[in-house]
Amino acid sequence: MSLSTQIMDSMKEAMRAKDTVALEALRAIKSEILLAQTASGSKEEISEADEIKILQKLVKMRKDSYEIFTAQNRADLAEPELAQIAVIEKFLPAQLSEAEVEAIVAKIIAETDASGIAAMGKVMGLASAQIGGQAEGKTISTIVKKLLV
C-alpha cells in the first residue's frame, strides 16, 4: 500500500475520531507529498526514498518548533508538536540506535580505508545511502566526525 493511500485511510480514521492534532499532521504530510509530485511536473507517484525524506523533514520541523516553544515556556503550543511528531513517525521506518549507526559507519570506514576529516564527504555519502531513512543525517554526521578524527 502506498504512503498516499495509508495517509488517506488514517485521515478518515482521524476525522471519525475527531482527532484534530492527528488530522493536522496527516494533512501536512498529504500537502508535502502533493507539492513534491507537482514539483516534478507529473502526476506520478514519488519514490519511497523521497517519501521518507518528506516525512523526516516534517518531523525535523516539528522538533525545531517544539524546542522553540519550550524555550519560550509555551507548553500550550509545544504539546501539539510532540503529538504530531508521534503521528508522522508512524509512517517512518524503524529508526536505528546510535550504536547500530556507529557499527555501520565503522564498517564503511574500514572498507574504504578512510582516515581524517577530509574523507568525511565520501563516508557520509556511503553511510547515507546505506542507512537510508533509518537515522537522521545529523546523527550520522556526528558519528562520522567522531570516528574519523
Side-chain angles (χ1 to χ4, degrees), residues 76-124:
D76 59 318
L77 297 175
E79 293 305 317
E81 296 295 329
L82 281 181
Q84 287 186 23
I85 289 170
V87 170
I88 297 168
E89 285 180 338
K90 289 178 188 174
F91 299 100
L92 281 170
Q95 299 293 297
L96 297 174
S97 69
E98 284 193 30
E100 292 170 320
V101 173
E102 192 167 332
I104 292 170
V105 170
K107 181 181 172 195
I108 291 171
I109 290 172
E111 288 173 356
T112 60
D113 200 30
S115 62
I117 202 72
M120 184 171 173
K122 179 180 178 182
V123 174
M124 276 296 297

Side-chain angles (χ1 to χ4, degrees), residues 132-146:
Q134 297 177 320
E136 289 183 355
K138 184 177 180 182
T139 304
I140 298 169
S141 174
T142 303
I143 291 172
V144 169
K145 283 180 188 173
K146 183 175 87 173

Side-chain angles (χ1 to χ4, degrees), residues 32-47 50 54:
E32 287 292 325
I33 290 172
L34 286 173
L35 284 173
Q37 286 175 339
T38 56
S40 65
S42 66
K43 293 287 183 187
E44 295 177 18
E45 293 288 318
I46 58 175
S47 70
D50 289 337
I54 289 170

